[in-house]
Amino acid sequence: MIKKKVTLNFNNLKHKIKLFYIQTKKIIPLANPRGVKLLCELCGKTAYYQCLGCRITYYCSEKHQKIDYEGIHKKICSFLVPLKEVSEFLGSEDQRIKLQKEVRAKKLEIIHLATTEAKKNMFEENYELAIPAALQALRYSQDVYKKKSIESIPSYLLLGKATTGLKNFKQAEDYLLLAKYALFKSKKQDYKIRYQLHRNLGILYTFKKQYDEALFELSNDIYYSSLLHGPEHIYVSGGYFQLGNIFYYQKKYNNALSAYSHVINIWNSYFKKKNNEVFDEALQAEAQNMFTRILEIRKELLSESEKNIELAQVYMAFGQLHYMTKNYMEAKSNFEEALKRYQLEYNSSNINIIQIKSFLREIELNI
Ligand SMILES: [Zn+2]
Ligand SMILES: [Zn+2]
């Protein structure tokens, strides 16, 4: 029996990485030991390059090495060697159990790190860089949990979203259907996962102009997100927004406008409640995108007589979004635009006018 002494040290490689990351060693696939086929970390094709930081990660090309490095590998390269050594460790039962626990914790850390990194890149619309991180998160969640476990679904959703962003619809559909299958297999009633899955499928089918399928997915999205949060919640608004987009593409403009109205009403009443619930950057960006598009479409479709109030509502939502995120200059210009339009329709006792004026006074104190 071969005994190998292993101590876990996840930090000792860091200094090397800086020096070596961009260096890869070219390898000749045929020279590998029989039966060992080295595959690209990113695409699974035959590998010709090896990372000199960990020496256990391979790539088909320098391009894939670079994308993987930027997307996630630079953050996890130093974790990989100790993890590999542990899998070859032959020691006493107690030692093995202890090591396995540490390894599991380390793998969970990688999942968390990779998921965060993928989300960050998604948020910045760096879809290509989001993919390596999401792939790592998927790989390790399938390793730690069962292969088709519910824990693998968030990674599939990220991959589905990123590939949709890259307009690689075939692959996006594959990922999302794998998520659907994993959800079905798990037999768990996780409404959050469920509505996110339906929304992503809805967005994908909208891109593919398969509007019937998209409408089916989005009605499921709205159903499950409403069950979870209540029908008037901001998390539900994204579903109505997508619904509005489909109606718009189908030239059913009245339906589109009323779906968009629902979105704006949900957000304006959310702001009115002045709840201190913090929402993350991703939701902030989503709200920003929705308001921008709704503003454009209202400008395009509404008659002059309808415009003042309807546009004022969107500027009001914008103003409050910026106010909440302490972006006071932006908030100010949106409130002023809303005020100007409301004043053309109402007198100074109108509740919206009073509210905007009080916001503007608050802003003056803050800038
Ligand atoms: Zn590759
Ligand atoms: Zn490496």
Side-chain angles (χ1 to χ4, degrees):
M1 193 164 85
I2 311 156
K3 277 209 171 182
K4 200 174 168 195
K5 201 167 161 44
V6 178
T7 45
L8 275 183
N9 186 347
F10 291 100
N11 300 317
N12 62 353
L13 283 162
K14 269 186 187 149
H15 62 286
K16 282 191 198 164
I17 311 311
K18 278 207 179 76
L19 294 172
F20 284 133
Y21 80 87
I22 218 70
Q23 281 183 33
T24 43
K25 191 175 112 189
K26 187 134 191 179
I27 50 169
I28 308 158
L30 287 176
N32 297 328
R34 271 176 84 97
V36 178
K37 207 167 177 228
L38 301 175
L39 302 175
C40 174
E41 185 77 355
L42 217 54
C43 67
K45 289 186 187 146
T46 307
Y48 296 94
Y49 294 86
Q50 178 188 34
C51 170
L52 286 181
C54 58
R55 292 182 184 266
I56 53 166
T57 311
Y58 301 91
Y59 301 98
C60 66
S61 60
E62 283 179 90
K63 188 187 169 206
H64 275 181
Q65 193 260 340
K66 224 172 171 173
I67 295 174
D68 191 42
Y69 183 80
E70 278 308 314
I72 187 67
H73 197 74
K74 63 181 172 189
K75 301 233 161 155
I76 61 169
C77 182
S78 61
F79 289 9
L80 300 178
V81 174
L83 281 181
K84 173 128 197 315
E85 284 173 355
V86 164
S87 72
E88 292 161 356
F89 177 69
L90 298 165
S92 74
E93 187 66 12
D94 282 356
Q95 283 173 309
R96 286 189 66 89
I97 290 172
K98 186 171 170 277
L99 266 182
Q100 273 166 6
K101 270 191 186 158
E102 285 180 52
V103 165
R104 188 186 150 91
K106 213 67 207 174
K107 286 178 177 170
L108 289 174
E109 197 183 326
I110 294 181
I111 295 171
H112 178 73
L113 199 75
T115 307
T116 311
E117 207 59 17
K119 282 185 180 163
K120 203 186 100 212
N121 279 314
M122 286 296 300
F123 167 66
E124 289 163 1
E125 297 185 9
N126 284 328
Y127 302 120
E128 201 177 33
L129 285 184
I131 289 175
L135 278 175
Q136 287 300 343
L138 178 65
R139 211 164 283 161
Y140 282 96
S141 51
Q142 288 185 333
D143 180 10
V144 173
Y145 307 101
K146 270 190 294 177
K147 190 120 200 189
K148 290 184 187 76
S149 67
I150 199 159
E151 285 84 0
S152 62
I153 298 178
S155 310
Y156 280 130
L157 293 182
L158 280 168
L159 286 164
K161 254 194 226 177
T163 42
T164 302
L166 290 170
K167 309 239 183 304
N168 190 346
F169 300 134
K170 174 77 190 68
Q171 197 157 31
E173 191 165 13
D174 287 347
Y175 282 131
L176 294 178
L177 292 179
L178 282 167
K180 200 172 186 174
Y181 184 64
L183 186 65
F184 169 73
K185 273 283 177 193
S186 78
K187 296 190 175 70
K188 281 186 188 151
Q189 272 296 10
D190 187 319
Y191 292 152
K192 186 177 174 198
I193 294 264
R194 175 148 279 187
Y195 87 72
Q196 288 176 340
L197 172 62
H198 287 302
R199 187 167 306 173
N200 283 313
L201 280 165
I203 293 170
L204 171 69
Y205 291 137
T206 307
F207 268 117
K208 291 177 78 183
K209 299 190 170 62
Q210 292 170 229
Y211 297 129
D212 287 342
E213 285 90 340
L215 285 169
F216 175 75
E217 296 298 339
L218 290 169
S219 55
N220 275 302
D221 158 20
I222 292 169
Y223 176 75
Y224 287 108
S225 56
S226 299
L227 273 184
L228 186 62
H229 299 293
E232 305 298 323
H233 196 277
I234 49 174
Y235 290 141
V236 185
S237 69
Y240 283 108
F241 175 70
Q242 295 303 334
L243 205 61
N245 291 343
I246 296 177
F247 288 136
Y248 179 82
Y249 296 134
Q250 291 181 321
K251 299 192 168 44
K252 294 174 180 165
Y253 295 130
N254 283 333
N255 297 44
L257 286 169
S258 68
Y260 292 142
S261 288
H262 206 68
V263 176
I264 294 296
N265 292 341
I266 286 176
W267 277 89
N268 275 334
S269 53
Y270 164 78
F271 290 130
K272 216 166 262 166
K273 280 183 218 134
K274 286 201 170 61
N275 33 18
N276 291 321
E277 191 185 334
V278 266
F279 53 90
D280 59 15
E281 278 182 321
L283 188 60
Q284 215 173 294
E286 193 194 346
Q288 176 105 13
N289 286 340
M290 292 193 291
F291 299 168
T292 305
R293 176 144 174 95
I294 293 172
L295 189 68
E296 266 168 33
I297 290 177
R298 284 189 172 177
K299 278 182 185 167
E300 177 199 326
L301 296 179
L302 293 174
S303 65
E304 286 308 315
S305 63
E306 297 164 308
K307 264 184 192 163
N308 281 333
I309 293 174
E310 300 263 324
L311 296 187
Q313 287 167 348
V314 188
Y315 286 119
M316 182 86 179
F318 258 128
Q320 291 177 99
L321 180 69
H322 289 305
Y323 183 83
M324 228 179 125
T325 53
K326 298 191 167 47
N327 199 348
Y328 294 120
M329 292 315 285
E330 284 288 318
K332 185 172 182 248
S333 69
N334 280 288
F335 280 133
E336 282 169 351
E337 189 63 37
L339 183 64
K340 193 181 84 190
R341 292 185 179 267
Y342 276 132
Q343 280 173 334
L344 291 171
E345 302 290 331
Y346 301 123
N347 64 37
S348 58
S349 63
N350 174 272
I351 179 78
N352 290 314
I353 292 180
I354 295 171
Q355 210 192 346
I356 293 174
K357 283 183 174 166
S358 104
F359 271 119
L360 286 170
R361 275 194 301 274
E362 288 281 323
I363 289 172
E364 288 305 324
L365 297 174
N366 279 298
I367 51 177

